[in-house]
Amino acid sequence: MEGGKPNLALVYQAVQALYHDPDPSGKERASVWLGELQRSMYAWEISDQLLQLKQDVESCYFAAQTMKMKIQTSFYELPPETHNALRESLLTHIQNLKDLSPIIVTQLALAIADLALQMASWKGCVHTLIEKYNNDISSMPFLIEILTVLPEEVHSRSLRIGANRRTEIIEDLAYYSSTVVTLLTSCVEKAGSDEKMLIKVFRCLGSWFNLGVLDSNFMASNQLLMVLFQVLQRDETSTNLHEAASDCVCSSLYAIENVESNMGLALQLFQGVLTLETAYHMAVAREDLDKVLNYCRIFTELCETFLETTVRSPGQGMGDLRTLELLLICAGHPQYEVVEISFNFWYRLGEHLYKINDAALHNIFRPYIQRLLHCLARHCQLDPDHDGIPEDTDDFGEFRMRVSDLVKDVIFLVGSMECFSQLYSTLKEGNPSWEVTEAVLFIMAAIAKSVDPENNPTLSEVLQQVVLLPETVHMAVRYTSIELVGEMSEVVDRNPRFLDPVLNYLMKGLREKSLASAAAKAIHNICSVCRDHMAQHFQGLLDIARALDSFVLSTEAAVGLLKGTALVLARLPLEKIAECLSDLCAVQVIALKKLLAEESTNGKSADPTVWLDRLAVIFRHTNPIVENGQTHPCQKVIQEIWPVLSETLNTHQADNRIVERCCRCLRFAVRCVGKGSASLLQPLVTQMVSVYQVYPHSCFLYLGSILVDEYGMEEGCRQGLLDMLQALCMPTFQLLEQQNGLRNHPDTVDDLFRLATRFVQRSPVTLLSSSIIVHIIQCAIAATSLDHRDANCSVMKFVRDLVHTGVANDHEENFEVRKQLIGQAMEQHGQQLITQLMHSCCFCLPPYTLPDVAEVLWEVMVFDRATFCRWLENALKGLPKETSGGAVTVTHKQLTDFHKQVTSAEECKQVCWAIREFTRLFR
């Protein structure tokens, strides 16, 4: 912070502005200034003074929050000899401020918990806190708050205390856990009807259950369990207390997931939850939705915990199928939010039964799934007074999509065909209302694809009947019937006689505003599946494509229609493709030309992305089979379109979004014709490089990688492509060398290393012999610490593929050259690379990136194991051995064990396991 330590009056003024300044810009200035203060060294002293002054809630909250944040993220700033004083000061503050505001107490409790976890010299913190405050009734609320957040913070992402310290803490907490439960039990006895205290006790108990340190035998006979179930059985329990008790029971059920080793507690919980059925019915009768949802959460958690027992021994002991009955009772509740809670359990049950694949077992569970499907179909019904089509973006629309997914996952237990037939017979034999019809069609659409279309008279009959639906039926029924037809495209493919009536039916939908997008999607499906049969209807598709904007379509539906058209186009005779593709592209090209003309006359810039996206989808999916030696039928069309794309790119070169769409369109054009785009290579690269110097859009790097992929093997193109790479690298390095350049431009990092990787794959010697390679490797080493999924993945893939070039394809004539060039690169950068990788995976990278790091280490080791062993040893020597709180991060034995595991590994996954375990020591 510039200008030294600010005085308290100024800090107080800024806090007041943050909360009370009516001018938003004043609030913003105060927020930025206070943020800087929090990051500075002065924050420790100032927040301590503000808490002592106790001037008002806002300044105390800011100070308490700052204290917590500093302890979480900047604890290393304090010398060890100040730790005891900080602890005493925090305990004094929480005692003095306990009545000011609960949120301040929570922030200070978090600060104390985070200090205890990091301060290795504070032994047995739970014991000392209970000893200190146990006998003072007024301190009980904040003591329980500290004991609640302490177990929650053990696995906090904000604290990098490492696996050794974490293990030590968990053992310590387990040792004192029965003391905590005894304290909570005595609080309940003293609390009487003090609801706030009961809520605190339940929250605290749940927190200790979640950490998994409570002794299950001790808990099985503890009266706290009895109190929990009494609270949940009582009709008069308030909403807040009910929720706290429910959360606690769910935590306890989650904690005993390993039922065998927690038999006593498992039995108590199992029996306790089964007693709540009456209370559930009472909550339904009182229309108390909050309580109903709580009970359903508990029943679901019960089923999840005993899932394996239920599947292993259905109907026996704790495999009692009454647990499923409870969930089906909940599924019968009129509000769909209730049944939705149990979806994950039904999905997991289906997955278990699918893996076991035992017919006798399936027969036991089939009736439950049938009843569930029956409930789901009812929940999917729209309101009888609903107008128009079903909404798919509101909460109910999302619920229906989740139902559709669940039905697909569990339908195998009932049998797709059997279910489909039953649903159809309810429509055929009854005379259901429109909302029942629509819901049944919706479920049929979910399972249509899983029904075998071979010689299936029911499917044929359904299709026949659906396309005969009159236009007078409810709009929602028509909408869902169109979706069903789209899902039955396999049936159409096996029965081409249906193609004409189906297309006529869908064309009617396409002409109606509210049905157009659904109809377009269905036509796209039919084009994808029935490509050969649809070839005779290509002219009709072309007519639709020409008049695309006369239909009221979502962007996605319009693009889908063009995709379908392109897929069919690729099945036409080769000699017809060029002309038809030209016709299909003409509408979009004319539109782009018109925009460019308007711009040159009135200077106004119109958005061309709609047309670019449509061209892109046409190129992407027009992939005819072309024999060697034949000219690609799309080549001529793409050459004709290039000038328009080039001009559009030039006109909008400053706009990243439009340039990205241009590059995407060009990428698919190049991919479409492959080597046939050679005539575009020179002008395209020239334009890319010249625009990139001024506007470094990362999509040019991506497009460059496509060009290298297509032409990198061609001797005559290699030098030109290398010149392109060098020209693109200069502005890229300038951008990435700025302060925080790598973090601010992850897309550029991602695309740069895609391009470099393509070069390594297609023309390694060209790249390795160039002067640019040193800079690319240096950039890659710096970028290994970047915590961005795509960018990090690209960097690691580049380094891995680069090193692999030194050992791959040793039968090729350029192998010795490659091996020598990689040897030189490793000699120059190897130690730096390994040191940086070890530092990155211990301190910067999330666990999901570790398999990529392991692959890089593995490749370096395969290339030169002896030197790698030395580099790794040096890298490990540089890692810190202790935390700022004085705890041991990594022992000498752990370092030598890790070194041995990696260097003696015989396959890459062993390296990965070793890194996973080792980096936990630093997290």
Side-chain angles (χ1 to χ4, degrees):
M1 195 158 197
E2 289 172 22
K5 179 180 148 191
N7 66 34
L8 280 182
L10 192 60
V11 177
Y12 185 70
Q13 203 180 329
V15 172
Q16 289 305 305
L18 181 66
Y19 287 101
H20 303 296
D21 193 329
D23 174 18
S25 64
K27 273 188 193 306
E28 180 59 32
R29 279 197 304 277
S31 173
V32 170
W33 189 83
L34 289 168
E36 273 182 39
L37 170 63
Q38 285 183 317
R39 286 187 292 278
S40 76
M41 276 292 287
Y42 306 119
W44 294 103
E45 193 183 341
I46 283 172
S47 42
D48 189 50
Q49 289 172 337
L50 286 173
L51 290 166
Q52 274 172 13
L53 284 173
K54 199 177 167 180
Q55 206 154 0
D56 57 22
V57 172
E58 286 100 340
S59 62
C60 287
Y61 176 69
F62 168 74
Q65 190 201 29
T66 303
M67 225 11 139
K68 177 203 72 177
M69 202 179 89
K70 292 299 282 183
I71 290 172
Q72 277 184 349
T73 59
S74 311
F75 189 53
Y76 60 86
E77 291 177 353
L78 294 182
E81 59 272 17
T82 61
H83 295 172
N84 281 337
L86 175 63
R87 175 183 65 194
E88 297 315 313
S89 156
L90 286 171
L91 291 172
T92 307
H93 292 320
I94 201 167
Q95 175 103 46
N96 293 339
L97 297 164
K98 62 179 181 280
D99 302 321
L100 188 59
S101 157
I103 56 171
I104 293 171
V105 171
T106 300
Q107 292 297 313
L108 287 171
L110 283 163
I112 292 164
D114 290 340
L115 176 65
L117 297 177
Q118 293 181 89
M119 187 175 156
S121 59
W122 187 0
K123 305 285 184 203
C125 62
V126 171
H127 182 65
T128 47
L129 289 167
I130 291 177
E131 286 251 295
K132 185 165 180 159
Y133 300 112
N134 189 15
N135 298 320
D136 175 14
I137 192 80
S138 69
S139 301
M140 209 41 74
F142 76 74
L143 173 61
I144 292 180
E145 187 66 30
I146 297 172
L147 293 174
T148 303
V149 298
L150 185 64
E152 290 171 352
E153 288 295 285
V154 171
H155 293 291
S156 160
R157 293 236 170 131
S158 315
L159 297 177
R160 299 188 76 100
I161 55 179
N164 287 335
R165 174 68 180 152
R166 201 168 276 115
T167 305
E168 187 187 330
I169 289 159
I170 289 171
E171 285 170 1
D172 196 47
L173 295 183
Y175 182 77
Y176 290 111
S177 61
S178 48
T179 316
V180 174
V181 175
T182 307
L183 172 78
L184 296 178
T185 310
S186 80
C187 282
V188 169
E189 285 164 2
K190 291 174 192 163
S193 58
D194 179 356
E195 188 181 291
K196 279 187 177 170
M197 185 47 104
L198 275 179
I199 290 174
K200 279 186 171 300
V201 167
F202 291 160
R203 267 194 59 221
C204 185
L205 182 62
S207 173
W208 285 74
F209 266 128
N210 285 336
L211 190 61
V213 292
L214 295 180
D215 181 311
S216 65
N217 292 329
F218 179 70
M219 286 311 301
S221 56
N222 190 277
Q223 73 179 79
L224 276 180
L225 273 194
M226 207 167 62
V227 175
L228 267 175
F229 285 111
Q230 282 169 355
V231 165
L232 289 168
Q233 284 158 357
R234 271 208 308 270
D235 183 33
E236 60 275 14
T237 299
S238 73
T239 304
N240 289 346
L241 181 58
H242 197 276
E243 185 171 6
S246 302
D247 287 344
C248 187
V249 170
C250 287
S251 296
S252 65
L253 284 164
Y254 186 74
I256 58 154
E257 199 120 41
N258 185 352
V259 176
E260 274 69 37
S261 53
N262 298 292
M263 266 333 229
L265 181 55
L267 191 60
Q268 290 296 327
L269 290 170
F270 188 84
Q271 291 168 343
V273 175
L274 288 181
T275 64
L276 299 178
E277 189 183 334
T278 315
Y280 168 82
H281 289 300
M282 184 59 91
V284 173
R286 292 201 185 280
E287 296 186 1
D288 188 338
L289 185 60
D290 288 331
K291 285 187 181 176
V292 166
L293 291 167
N294 285 336
Y295 289 124
C296 187
R297 279 196 301 132
I298 294 171
F299 299 156
T300 304
E301 201 64 64
L302 177 78
C303 288
E304 295 248 16
T305 295
F306 292 98
L307 171 62
E308 292 194 12
T309 316
T310 312
V311 172
R312 201 170 47 242
S313 49
Q316 296 163 28
M318 286 188 273
D320 192 328
L321 294 173
R322 277 185 299 166
T323 54
L324 298 190
E325 289 291 347
L326 287 175
L327 282 197
L328 289 172
I329 291 170
C330 292
H333 190 280
Q335 301 282 72
Y336 70 83
E337 294 89 345
V338 180
V339 69
E340 194 168 17
I341 290 172
S342 65
F343 278 15
N344 190 55
F345 164 74
W346 293 112
Y347 166 73
R348 279 186 61 203
L349 175 66
E351 200 177 33
H352 261 68
L353 294 170
Y354 187 77
K355 279 180 187 163
I356 296 169
N357 195 16
D358 175 336
L361 205 53
H362 287 192
N363 287 335
I364 294 172
F365 289 97
R366 181 171 295 124
Y368 293 94
I369 299 296
Q370 282 170 328
R371 285 163 61 194
L372 174 69
L373 292 175
H374 187 75
C375 291
L376 293 176
R378 201 178 61 253
H379 279 299
C380 283
Q381 289 174 20
L382 298 161
D383 283 337
D385 56 358
H386 178 92
D387 270 344
I389 64 170
E391 287 295 329
D392 54 359
T393 50
D394 61 4
D395 288 348
F396 185 54
E398 284 180 14
F399 166 75
R400 286 183 21 134
M401 292 326 294
R402 289 193 65 197
V403 167
S404 175
D405 291 341
L406 178 61
V407 169
K408 287 173 183 146
D409 286 329
V410 298
I411 194 66
F412 73 92
L413 279 163
V414 179
S416 310
M417 189 56 229
E418 192 183 324
C419 184
F420 198 83
S421 302
Q422 277 177 358
L423 288 165
Y424 178 51
S425 64
T426 60
L427 298 181
K428 195 168 144 186
E429 288 153 21
N431 184 18
S433 58
W434 76 262
E435 68 275 14
V436 172
T437 303
E438 191 278 336
V440 169
L441 290 171
F442 177 77
I443 302 290
M444 287 169 77
I447 57 178
K449 273 189 180 154
S450 60
V451 181
D452 182 8
E454 266 320 317
N455 304 323
N456 195 321
T458 308
L459 285 179
S460 306
E461 191 183 329
V462 168
L463 200 53
Q464 256 170 324
Q465 292 304 315
V466 167
V467 298
L468 293 174
L469 276 174
E471 290 180 33
T472 50
V473 298
H474 193 288
M475 191 61 88
V477 174
R478 289 182 65 199
Y479 180 89
T480 305
S481 70
I482 287 172
E483 289 197 320
L484 173 60
V485 170
E487 292 297 308
M488 294 179 75
S489 43
E490 292 277 355
V491 183
V492 180
D493 193 42
R494 307 288 161 92
N495 302 277
R497 66 180 191 282
F498 290 139
L499 191 54
D500 284 357
V502 162
L503 289 175
N504 289 336
Y505 181 67
L506 295 178
M507 277 310 297
K508 280 182 200 162
L510 196 60
R511 293 191 191 98
E512 288 197 40
K513 184 178 172 181
S514 48
L515 302 176
S517 290
K521 191 178 165 191
I523 293 172
H524 163 206
N525 278 355
I526 287 180
C527 289
S528 304
V529 176
C530 318
R531 289 168 75 170
D532 292 323
H533 298 307
M534 281 298 291
Q536 58 182 331
H537 292 277
F538 183 75
Q539 193 52 48
L541 289 171
L542 192 56
D543 293 340
I544 295 173
R546 283 184 180 137
L548 207 50
D549 293 306
S550 65
F551 305 110
V552 185
L553 296 174
S554 68
T555 312
E556 185 190 2
V559 166
L561 254 179
L562 288 173
K563 175 184 170 183
T565 308
L567 288 169
V568 175
L569 166 64
R571 291 294 165 95
L572 297 182
L574 275 189
E575 64 277 6
K576 284 196 172 173
I577 289 179
E579 183 194 343
C580 293
L581 177 64
S582 190
D583 286 350
L584 188 55
C585 294
V587 181
Q588 345 302 327
V589 174
I590 290 164
L592 285 172
K593 282 180 175 167
K594 191 176 163 201
L595 290 184
L596 291 166
E598 281 171 10
E599 188 154 351
S600 60
T601 52
N602 63 18
K604 277 193 182 155
S605 176
D607 187 349
T609 53
V610 170
W611 313 106
L612 292 170
D613 287 351
R614 289 180 184 181
L615 278 176
V617 81
I618 294 168
F619 294 143
R620 183 177 191 173
H621 297 286
T622 306
N623 38 21
I625 297 155
V626 182
E627 302 293 333
N628 272 346
Q630 287 181 307
T631 304
H632 198 291
C634 306
Q635 190 175 319
K636 181 168 160 285
V637 182
I638 285 169
Q639 282 167 351
E640 286 165 6
I641 291 175
W642 159 247
V644 183
L645 292 178
S646 173
E647 198 182 334
T648 304
L649 179 54
N650 252 347
T651 305
H652 298 278
Q653 57 181 278
D655 187 325
N656 183 54
R657 190 176 63 93
I658 296 175
V659 171
E660 211 162 66
R661 299 307 229 295
C662 271
C663 285
R664 190 167 169 273
C665 188
L666 286 162
R667 160 194 164 192
F668 289 124
V670 170
R671 286 290 196 212
C672 173
V673 292
K675 305 280 186 297
S677 59
S679 61
L680 301 187
L681 195 54
Q682 187 65 48
L684 173 55
V685 168
T686 307
Q687 186 171 2
M688 280 165 57
V689 167
S690 87
V691 175
Y692 192 78
Q693 307 298 319
V694 192
Y695 300 106
H697 303 299
S698 74
C699 51
F700 285 127
L701 299 170
Y702 188 91
L703 186 53
S705 74
I706 303 294
L707 296 175
V708 173
D709 196 36
E710 290 291 344
Y711 293 100
M713 309 280 274
E714 303 287 310
E715 194 54 58
C717 299
R718 284 176 173 170
Q719 188 54 47
L721 290 170
L722 181 65
D723 294 342
M724 171 193 79
L725 173 69
Q726 290 178 317
L728 292 173
C729 274
M730 290 311 151
T732 305
F733 292 150
Q734 282 170 0
L735 188 70
L736 298 179
E737 281 161 10
Q738 293 169 4
Q739 192 177 2
N740 292 331
L742 292 164
R743 197 174 333 137
N744 295 340
H745 304 284
D747 293 349
T748 301
V749 176
D750 182 13
D751 292 331
L752 170 68
F753 287 101
R754 274 175 196 269
L755 169 57
T757 303
R758 287 290 191 213
F759 239 112
V760 168
Q761 291 165 347
R762 293 285 175 257
S763 185
V765 177
T766 311
L767 179 63
L768 287 163
S769 314
S770 70
S771 57
I772 197 79
I773 187 65
V774 176
H775 305 286
I776 294 176
I777 293 174
Q778 286 289 354
C779 184
I781 292 172
T784 55
S785 61
L786 187 61
D787 175 8
H788 182 281
R789 190 182 285 264
D790 294 340
N792 195 281
C793 185
S794 277
V795 172
M796 296 299 175
K797 183 169 170 40
F798 163 71
V799 182
R800 186 191 72 207
D801 286 9
L802 182 77
V803 181
H804 187 66
T805 313
V807 292
N809 302 327
D810 53 5
H811 56 280
E812 289 178 5
E813 58 184 61
N814 66 2
F815 172 65
E816 286 304 327
V817 182
R818 278 187 281 125
K819 186 177 171 184
Q820 185 194 350
L821 288 167
I822 293 295
Q824 288 167 1
M826 285 287 96
E827 202 176 315
Q828 205 175 346
H829 308 285
Q831 180 66 72
Q832 190 192 355
L833 170 68
I834 302 302
T835 303
Q836 179 70 37
L837 278 175
M838 287 314 303
H839 183 273
S840 296
C841 58
C842 290
F843 301 108
C844 311
L845 299 178
Y848 67 76
T849 59
L850 297 181
D852 294 340
V853 176
E855 287 188 0
V856 174
L857 295 178
W858 173 253
E859 287 298 343
V860 177
M861 186 160 71
V862 168
F863 183 74
D864 182 350
R865 196 174 283 254
T867 315
F868 171 77
C869 292
R870 197 173 68 247
W871 288 339
L872 183 60
E873 187 182 338
N874 293 337
L876 294 177
K877 280 178 184 167
L879 293 173
K881 313 296 183 282
E882 268 195 6
T883 65
S884 46
V888 173
T889 307
V890 57
T891 65
H892 180 69
K893 183 177 185 310
Q894 285 169 326
L895 286 170
T896 51
D897 285 354
F898 172 67
H899 187 277
K900 188 177 172 187
Q901 284 165 349
V902 173
T903 53
S904 63
E906 287 173 13
E907 50 184 343
C908 184
K909 63 180 175 193
Q910 293 170 319
V911 177
C912 187
W913 291 332
I915 291 187
R916 274 225 156 100
E917 284 308 308
F918 184 71
T919 52
R920 284 195 182 119
L921 300 172
F922 297 87
R923 285 187 199 288

